[in-house]
Amino acid sequence: MRKLRCSLALLLLALAPAAIAQKPAVTSSAPPAPPVTAPLPVDDENARQARQILDRMLKALGGDAYLTYQARTEIGRTYGFYHGEPKGVGVQFWRFWRWPDKDRMELTKQRDWIVIYDGDQGFETTFRGTRPMDKDDMKEYLERRPYSNEHVLRQWLKAPGTVLFYDGRTVAERKPAEKITIMDARNRSVTFFVDADTHLPIKKTFTLRDPETRERSNIEEIYDNYRPIAAQGGVIQTPLSLAWKTDDWMTRQRFLNTVTYDPPMSASLFDPGPLNYDPKKK
């Protein structure tokens, strides 16, 4: 159960204005010479390429509608893996998410297994009652949350010191892609593989380092089966098939049947209630 709980604890999350092209320098001699554009330094040109690809990606995802929605619900099925092999037939789930740090997952057909994250706290409810989230699961969740698409694209890009890199053309999940990296002032980085045709993200990668063992884990999030879903102010292209890998091992898959943006959502959803866990309850 803890392996599944670990996998369920992992999550899926504003773009600065597009870079403004430099104006060409114009000579003042008579007769006026044609405008002359000085070549950009290599680093500036590289960053500009990355910005252009990022801008296209954000536009394809839905632009402002994607960057500003505040809540989302999901209904679907989630599958856990162990050493790359699926465990069981999956679990039905209902998810309620609110920006920036509230998340609730209800699992099983009876919706009687509930996981809640609220800020830096987490809680789990089962038939034995409610208790704080397992310490290791909570640590893993908090480590990964800053790398969510929502946090990277809404917060990192606004923060001083964030830089962009264009890493060239490649192939991702058997599709031609453009590869860009976003790095913040704390040297945290994520790499997006952007579909060369649709401009939608195919996958995202990042690396986590355990502060105690110093071991590194390479994480992949893979997005597929995009569908346009109405949102306030527009349409958001939403991947209905998602997969997660750690060090090339599949750890989780999720298939969404229904996604709703900015639905009415009570604050009580993220209140775990009294802590009344009884380990002896049967």
Side-chain angles (χ1 to χ4, degrees), residues 206-245:
F206 57 94
T207 299
L208 296 177
R209 184 188 293 274
D210 188 297
E212 297 177 2
T213 66
R214 308 303 296 169
E215 293 182 355
R216 297 162 61 95
S217 296
N218 298 311
I219 313 300
E220 293 182 41
E221 295 182 3
I222 303 165
Y223 317 107
D224 200 6
N225 193 22
Y226 280 89
R227 293 291 185 271
I229 296 178
Q232 293 185 19
V235 172
I236 296 176
Q237 288 289 342
T238 304
L240 301 186
S241 301
L242 304 101
W244 288 259
K245 292 182 179 180

Side-chain angles (χ1 to χ4, degrees), residues 164-183:
L164 306 178
F165 301 96
Y166 174 60
D167 301 320
R169 288 182 171 268
T170 185
V171 175
E173 304 301 310
R174 299 186 295 276
K175 299 175 183 177
E178 302 273 11
K179 184 179 176 183
I180 60 171
T181 296
I182 304 172
M183 179 180 290

Side-chain angles (χ1 to χ4, degrees), residues 35-276:
V36 177
T37 302
L40 289 171
V42 174
D43 287 350
D44 288 351
E45 176 61 28
N46 182 279
R48 187 168 71 174
Q49 282 184 280
R51 172 63 72 178
Q52 290 174 344
I53 294 167
L54 185 62
D55 288 347
R56 288 196 294 264
M57 184 185 86
L58 267 295
K59 182 179 179 180
L61 283 167
D64 287 343
Y66 175 76
L67 290 170
T68 59
Y69 77 87
Q70 296 297 300
R72 182 177 72 248
T73 61
E74 302 170 357
I75 303 173
R77 199 165 190 88
T78 185
Y79 297 79
F81 288 73
Y82 181 69
H83 290 309
E85 296 296 326
K87 300 187 300 182
V89 295
V91 179
Q92 192 170 357
F93 73 89
W94 289 257
R95 184 187 179 204
F96 306 85
W97 175 91
R98 181 176 288 281
W99 171 260
D101 57 9
K102 298 184 185 298
D103 207 344
R104 176 189 178 103
M105 188 89 79
E106 300 175 1
L107 301 133
T108 78
K109 290 183 179 180
Q110 294 74 32
R111 304 172 69 164
D112 55 1
W113 179 10
I114 301 171
V115 176
I116 293 176
Y117 295 100
D118 185 2
D120 60 357
Q121 299 184 81
F123 306 91
E124 179 187 37
T125 298
T126 65
F127 70 92
R128 291 191 171 96
T130 300
R131 63 177 175 177
M133 180 59 63
D134 176 85
K135 182 177 68 174
D136 290 338
D137 290 348
M138 193 69 215
K139 174 175 172 286
E140 189 169 22
Y141 176 84
L142 292 176
E143 285 176 344
R144 294 192 182 216
R145 185 168 62 192
Y147 292 87
S148 71
N149 289 348
E150 290 82 11
H151 281 80
V152 170
L153 299 172
R154 297 182 184 190
Q155 292 186 331
W156 289 28
L157 289 174
K158 288 183 176 181
T162 296
V163 292
L164 306 178
F165 301 96
Y166 174 60
D167 301 320
R169 288 182 171 268
T170 185
V171 175
E173 304 301 310
R174 299 186 295 276
K175 299 175 183 177
E178 302 273 11
K179 184 179 176 183
I180 60 171
T181 296
I182 304 172
M183 179 180 290
D184 73 357
R186 296 169 57 182
N187 288 327
R188 300 179 300 184
S189 67
V190 300
T191 297
F192 283 98
F193 296 77
V194 183
D195 192 303
D197 297 320
T198 67
H199 309 303
L200 293 168
I202 299 170
K203 73 175 180 178
K204 178 183 71 182
T205 63
F206 57 94
T207 299
L208 296 177
R209 184 188 293 274
D210 188 297
E212 297 177 2
T213 66
R214 308 303 296 169
E215 293 182 355
R216 297 162 61 95
S217 296
N218 298 311
I219 313 300
E220 293 182 41
E221 295 182 3
I222 303 165
Y223 317 107
D224 200 6
N225 193 22
Y226 280 89
R227 293 291 185 271
I229 296 178
Q232 293 185 19
V235 172
I236 296 176
Q237 288 289 342
T238 304
L240 301 186
S241 301
L242 304 101
W244 288 259
K245 292 182 179 180
T246 299
D247 296 329
D248 294 326
W249 290 102
M250 184 78 74
T251 58
R252 182 170 50 115
Q253 280 186 310
R254 186 175 292 174
F255 300 96
L256 308 181
N257 300 322
T258 303
V259 178
T260 305
Y261 290 99
D262 285 323
M265 192 175 293
S266 170
S268 63
L269 280 171
F270 308 102
D271 181 359
L275 302 183
N276 55 4

